Amino acid sequence: MSRNLTYTSLPLVEQPDVDERRERPKRGVRVVEVGPRDGLQNEPGFVPTPVKIAFIEALAAAGLLVVEATSFVNPKAVPQLADAGDVMRGVHRRSGVRYPVLVPNERGFDRALAAEVDAIALFTAATDAFAEANVGTSIDGTFARFAPIADRARDAGIWVRGYVSVAFGCPYSGAVQPSAVIAVASRLFALGCAEVSIADTIGVANPTDVAHLLRNAGTDLPLDRIALHFHDTNSQAVFNVATGLQSGITSFDAAAGGLGGCPFAPGAPGNLATETLVRFLEGQGVESGVDAAAVAAAVATLHATSGQYPE
Ligand code: MG
């Protein structure tokens, strides 16, 4: 079958024939939608608040059970998401769906609490150089910021997700060893994170790198609580997902429409598109519960109504 030819040379998930694929028990994967936050923060211009709210609601309606909705960073630093509180107060939240918001410090956490969020994301890096450039402090510095937030989140019953960015390569310090990623991820779990997302922020990972990291991580990290966050800058994203699946990972981040681009490679793709991920999973016989066409429709509506994008 021609549809399998692309993959036959790689040690990917077994490709059953179509009838077999329909009937065999599904292995579920959770797709974590990051478009409204990780995508829109990197798009030029301000998407009107009602358009953001409609986008988030459409993504949840498409079957996504985690929709990272916005970021409570300093509005001066990320004006695209300056309306974070209004977005969170405006979204009609579905039961069974989490809407994490990125929180960089206690001030942001206070704003998030005021908007009655039920989930937050904490963002650090595998290298000091990236942390310094991105959030103005070292890795240790980010954990000093996180400690009081994590305590307060626990007391408030708020679900916490952690990010380890530049896990496969850093634009400032180059190659990143798995040991560095594992150390930071372990600290995030120790802090109380329910899930840690390991992110290829600059899109340099290939399946060999992913397998190498996960082989090393397997003894130190709970792989059932690890998510992988790939960028498609070098067209490797779905191959990396396949390697993750084979290593037992069941949570993958993606951004509807591939929103956001790549800040480190202007014009290149950034976040793996949710529709691409879902269709890839479908091709592998892996159920995500997400309707790729509905995600694509949500993106089309966003583009048509935001006033920032050509139709
Ligand atoms: Mg990203």
Side-chain angles (χ1 to χ4, degrees):
M1 292 192 293
S2 62
R3 61 172 296 148
N4 291 342
L5 288 179
T6 314
Y7 306 120
T8 47
S9 62
L10 289 168
L12 303 185
V13 174
E14 188 187 8
Q15 296 269 316
D17 67 39
V18 171
D19 288 338
E20 212 184 325
R21 190 163 58 216
R22 246 182 228 128
E23 288 166 15
R24 81 175 174 177
K26 303 288 188 188
R27 183 160 66 105
V29 154
R30 192 181 61 168
V31 176
V32 176
E33 171 61 48
V34 298
R37 195 280 299 175
D38 192 16
L40 292 186
Q41 76 175 14
N42 289 318
E43 293 286 347
F46 181 82
V47 174
T49 307
V51 175
K52 287 181 180 132
I53 291 170
F55 183 47
I56 292 163
E57 290 178 347
L59 293 168
L64 288 149
L65 297 180
V66 184
V67 182
E68 193 172 83
T70 187
S71 175
F72 285 84
V73 287
N74 183 342
K76 291 196 184 82
V78 186
Q80 296 94 323
L81 303 183
D83 57 353
D86 291 337
V87 167
M88 291 313 291
R89 278 183 283 270
V91 168
H92 175 260
R93 300 183 202 173
R94 290 181 169 242
S95 74
V97 178
R98 290 188 201 280
Y99 302 87
V101 299
L102 201 133
V103 165
N105 50 37
E106 274 201 282
R107 184 177 160 79
F109 185 65
D110 289 337
R111 291 172 56 214
L113 275 185
E116 299 185 349
V117 306
D118 64 352
I120 61 170
L122 302 173
F123 186 95
T124 187
T127 71
D128 282 318
F130 192 81
E132 291 281 1
N134 201 54
V135 291
T137 187
S138 63
I139 295 169
D140 285 347
T142 62
F143 279 92
R145 289 176 187 171
F146 295 162
I149 299 172
D151 286 344
R152 293 174 61 194
R154 189 180 310 112
D155 291 345
I158 289 174
W159 187 82
V160 184
R161 177 172 220 251
Y163 277 101
V164 185
S165 57
V166 295
F168 296 91
C170 174
Y172 310 114
S173 51
V176 175
Q177 295 305 312
S179 56
V181 179
I182 292 164
V184 174
S186 298
R187 290 176 76 177
L188 286 167
F189 281 121
L191 199 66
C193 288
E195 177 173 83
V196 172
S197 177
I198 293 178
D200 180 21
T201 309
I202 58 171
V204 293
N206 65 44
T208 304
D209 301 326
V210 175
H212 181 56
L213 173 63
L214 294 176
R215 206 164 38 242
N216 280 273
T219 51
D220 296 316
L221 300 176
L223 293 186
D224 59 341
R225 292 164 60 197
I226 292 285
L228 295 176
H229 180 121
F230 291 121
H231 284 200
D232 209 22
T233 314
N234 289 317
S235 306
Q236 301 293 299
V238 295
F239 301 102
N240 291 336
V241 168
T243 304
L245 284 172
Q246 200 170 49
S247 304
I249 299 296
T250 55
S251 185
F252 296 91
D253 298 359
L259 285 171
C262 180
F264 303 99
N271 290 307
L272 170 61
T274 307
E275 309 90 296
T276 302
L277 173 61
V278 168
R279 289 184 175 126
F280 177 75
L281 293 170
E282 285 171 0
Q284 301 290 320
V286 177
E287 182 62 59
S288 69
V290 179
D291 179 342
V295 173
V299 173
T301 301
L302 173 80
H303 286 184
T305 56
S306 67
Q308 307 294 335
Y309 306 92
E311 287 188 34

